[in-house]
Amino acid sequence: MSLTLDEIQNFKGKYPRQIWSLFFSEMWERFCFYGMRGMLVFFMISQLNFHEKEANLQYGATQAFVYAFTFVGGLFADKILGFRKSLFWGGLLMIVGSLILATDPHKFFFLGIAFTVVGTGFFKPNISSMVGQLYKPNDSRADAGFSLFYAGINLGALLGGYLCIAIGKGELFASLIPEEMRWHIAFGFAAVVMVISLINFIFTQKRLGTIGLQPGHPLNEVKSAPIPKWKEYGVYVLSLIFVPIIMIMVAKTEYTDYFMWTIGPLTLIYLFYEMTKVTSAERKKLWAALVFILFSILFWGIYEQSGGSLSIFAAKNLNKDLLGLDPNGVNNSGGAFFIIFLAPLIGLLWIWLNKRKIEPNTIIKFGLGFIFLGLGYYVLFATRLFANLQGITSLNFFTIALLVITLGELCLSPIGLSIMTKLSTKNLQGMMMGMWFLASAYGQYVAGIIGAGLATAKEGSTNYDALITYTDGYKQLGLYAVIAGVVLILISPFVKKLMQEVK
């Protein structure tokens, strides 16, 4: 604990040295998460014999709880565990979940998934918070730090998204891994990299000074009474109690429906109550934040087909005309690949436009995100033009769609968390962050419903019929996204007034 917070934050150069260690811990955690995410729908259909509609709904439920639980994990970290203990506990739960799946993914599928969901909720929000604390408030270098961290997230997503599904399907290392062990190894791989992530974090802690310490720790910058041990142990016990509850709610998706139909309205009612206590100017900003939140649900609902219906489309309807690569691997990792290369270029474009005083404001960027998303889905629709009579079409052309969709994500995703902090009042920042993550949870939930709605090909229909059904659905989604983008651009003057001085 030799370093003080001032010594950490007064670093020379562009990046604090601690960011590289946090980068690697996050990279391996994202490898685990995206590797698992990419396998879910394909495994449910090919190994557990689920119907496509059922698999999409359960995928949506799983992802919804992951994002909903980040709110809970962040809350426990703030109040009781601190970022470090929360991150470590979450990582352990993810390892347990991956090991359960590696032992017997057919028998213990939902149990392993439930451990992973709860673990991700504790890990995901807290490592980002520690990156933020490496910088003083208003340090202009923080954006560069978060850009580097964002690259780490996507490098992990790229590697895990491709390798895990390719091993499970037998597209990689087929001669080395017996067929009956492929899925065991694929899920076990996620556990191995998560162990690497936690070992790396153990060594990182020595250089973090006071960052991420538990509230009440004697060396914590903010002085408060020590947290009683029973509260800390209570969090661990409570999170384990959540495991069987989430297992049941994911396995029986109607329970997820009840949860999602309850939690959203209750959160909104509470927000409206809090809005009565703030000034008129602050209330306007909160209304603007709500516009971003509601539109983001639609964006993620359409965007997140990658883990659901597009996973099925990749398995059934794509060839290997892109360097012989596995279509499911490309579907899972293509977006991350494009982000790594495009994120710095988009950042430079905004700077270039800003210097010429023609950079679009935040709400127009959101609108552009929807328009690119919609155009990407029109490219997915156009894959039918390259299909043969067996319903197999070009992976090359499909990858162009992923590129266009990624441009949409880059217009919207990086600015979401930033705009929430700018539009929130000080005493509602935690809640508005929670609502942003909850909006992501609703987006995942909606994605599952949309994917299930696309899985409408009748029993006995041909693979070509399935291609036509899915691409018709993608055309509809493209239209909805473009309309939403146009609406956002049209209402941008009104929302800009609500935002006042916030850019």
Side-chain angles (χ1 to χ4, degrees):
M1 210 62 76
S2 53
L3 288 172
T4 66
L5 190 61
D6 270 347
E7 285 171 332
I8 292 170
Q9 292 178 340
N10 288 325
F11 61 92
K12 302 283 184 264
K14 197 171 185 181
Y15 301 109
R17 56 187 287 217
Q18 294 83 354
I19 201 169
W20 297 101
S21 298
L22 293 175
F23 169 101
F24 281 112
S25 277
E26 176 72 351
M27 183 183 89
W28 292 123
E29 186 272 339
R30 292 289 88 185
F31 182 111
C32 177
F33 176 77
Y34 279 94
M36 192 86 67
R37 170 183 175 270
M39 291 188 281
L40 288 181
V41 167
F42 185 90
F43 184 83
M44 282 189 271
I45 292 168
S46 67
Q47 300 297 306
L48 302 181
N49 300 316
F50 284 15
H51 186 273
E52 290 177 13
K53 181 176 180 179
E54 193 183 0
N56 269 290
L57 287 173
Q58 281 173 328
Y59 167 78
T62 302
Q63 294 297 102
F65 278 117
V66 164
Y67 282 88
F69 223 86
T70 55
F71 183 38
V72 179
L75 203 63
F76 281 140
D78 277 342
K79 305 291 183 190
I80 298 173
L81 294 184
F83 298 143
R84 295 191 198 182
K85 285 187 175 180
S86 183
L87 181 149
F88 202 81
W89 176 241
L92 283 176
L93 292 175
M94 290 178 78
I95 291 166
V96 170
S98 299
L99 288 174
I100 288 169
L101 288 164
T103 305
D104 193 337
H106 298 83
K107 193 184 288 184
F108 301 125
F109 182 72
F110 286 112
L111 178 62
I113 291 300
F115 267 100
T116 307
V117 166
V118 178
T120 306
F122 277 95
F123 192 106
K124 182 179 167 61
N126 297 309
I127 194 161
S128 306
S129 302
M130 282 191 275
V131 171
Q133 289 190 14
L134 296 174
Y135 297 89
K136 286 186 173 177
N138 304 317
D139 187 332
S140 59
R141 296 173 294 182
D143 283 351
F146 273 103
S147 295
L148 178 70
F149 194 64
Y150 198 51
I153 290 171
N154 285 287
L155 187 56
L158 170 65
L159 296 170
Y162 190 88
L163 290 174
C164 291
I165 186 78
I167 289 169
K169 287 176 69 178
E171 297 286 342
L172 275 179
F173 312 127
S175 58
L176 301 174
I177 304 170
E179 189 175 346
E180 68 276 9
M181 290 301 294
R182 284 172 189 165
W183 288 107
H184 297 262
I185 299 292
F187 284 112
F189 203 8
V192 171
V193 298
M194 202 61 226
V195 170
I196 295 170
S197 174
L198 284 195
I199 291 171
N200 178 67
F201 184 70
I202 289 168
F203 289 107
T204 304
Q205 287 188 101
K206 296 171 185 172
R207 298 197 300 275
L208 285 175
T210 59
I211 291 172
L213 290 175
Q214 190 172 16
H217 189 287
L219 296 172
N220 203 318
E221 298 285 323
V222 180
K223 300 303 174 193
S224 60
I227 299 293
K229 279 294 174 189
W230 68 265
K231 282 192 178 180
E232 182 181 330
Y233 297 142
V235 171
Y236 301 143
V237 172
L238 189 62
S239 52
L240 291 173
I241 291 169
F242 269 115
V243 170
I245 295 170
I246 286 178
M247 188 174 87
I248 293 164
M249 291 178 87
V250 170
K252 306 254 185 219
T253 52
E254 59 267 31
Y255 293 142
T256 307
D257 296 340
Y258 302 145
F259 176 80
M260 299 306 281
W261 281 107
T262 306
I263 195 76
L266 286 177
T267 309
L268 276 178
I269 289 166
Y270 182 69
L271 175 64
F272 294 148
Y273 165 70
E274 288 289 349
M275 284 167 75
T276 61
K277 300 179 184 176
V278 299
T279 65
S280 173
E282 289 171 333
R283 194 175 303 119
K284 285 176 182 174
K285 288 180 186 175
L286 291 172
W287 279 115
L290 203 52
V291 171
F292 286 110
I293 286 168
L294 293 174
F295 271 91
S296 74
I297 294 172
L298 177 60
F299 183 90
W300 295 120
I302 296 173
Y303 177 89
E304 282 295 339
Q305 292 307 303
S306 54
S309 70
L310 284 175
S311 181
I312 300 166
F313 186 77
K316 283 185 166 185
N317 299 107
L318 294 178
N319 60 25
K320 293 184 181 178
D321 64 355
L322 180 64
L323 306 173
L325 293 171
D326 172 51
N328 279 100
V330 172
N331 172 52
N332 294 336
S333 60
F337 175 82
F338 289 128
I339 283 172
I340 290 167
F341 288 98
L342 289 175
L345 298 177
I346 296 291
L348 290 171
L349 175 65
W350 297 141
I351 291 167
W352 185 82
L353 291 172
N354 184 265
K355 282 180 180 171
R356 283 151 186 77
K357 298 195 172 12
I358 51 172
E359 184 187 3
N361 63 43
T362 304
I363 193 85
I364 288 178
K365 284 180 185 174
F366 251 61
L368 289 172
F370 271 98
I371 289 170
F372 277 118
L373 177 69
L375 293 176
Y377 272 82
Y378 275 114
V379 178
L380 286 174
F381 166 70
T383 55
R384 65 161 66 182
L385 304 175
F386 301 89
N388 60 24
L389 291 176
Q390 285 73 49
I392 306 296
T393 187
S394 167
L395 177 58
N396 268 321
F397 203 74
F398 176 89
T399 308
I400 294 169
L402 295 184
L403 169 62
V404 181
I405 289 168
T406 302
L407 286 171
E409 185 194 353
L410 285 169
C411 287
L412 182 143
S413 183
I415 57 177
L417 287 172
S418 169
I419 202 68
M420 284 303 109
T421 58
K422 290 175 184 173
L423 292 172
S424 305
T425 58
K426 272 215 165 68
N427 62 326
L428 288 180
Q429 279 212 352
M431 186 193 171
M432 296 309 289
M433 279 301 188
M435 284 195 74
W436 181 256
F437 281 123
L438 196 59
S440 298
Y442 271 90
Q444 304 289 340
Y445 173 68
V446 169
I449 294 170
I450 291 171
L454 292 173
T456 54
K458 295 182 179 67
E459 289 295 323
S461 59
T462 66
N463 203 44
Y464 186 82
D465 293 332
L467 172 93
I468 297 302
T469 302
Y470 273 107
T471 51
D472 277 341
Y474 296 142
K475 182 174 75 169
Q476 283 297 111
L477 292 180
L479 178 63
Y480 298 149
V482 170
I483 289 171
V486 171
V487 168
L488 270 167
I489 289 168
L490 289 175
I491 65 170
S492 64
F494 169 70
V495 179
K496 202 175 167 188
K497 271 187 186 173
L498 291 175
M499 291 168 69
Q500 297 155 77
E501 79 285 354
V502 175
K503 299 293 183 196

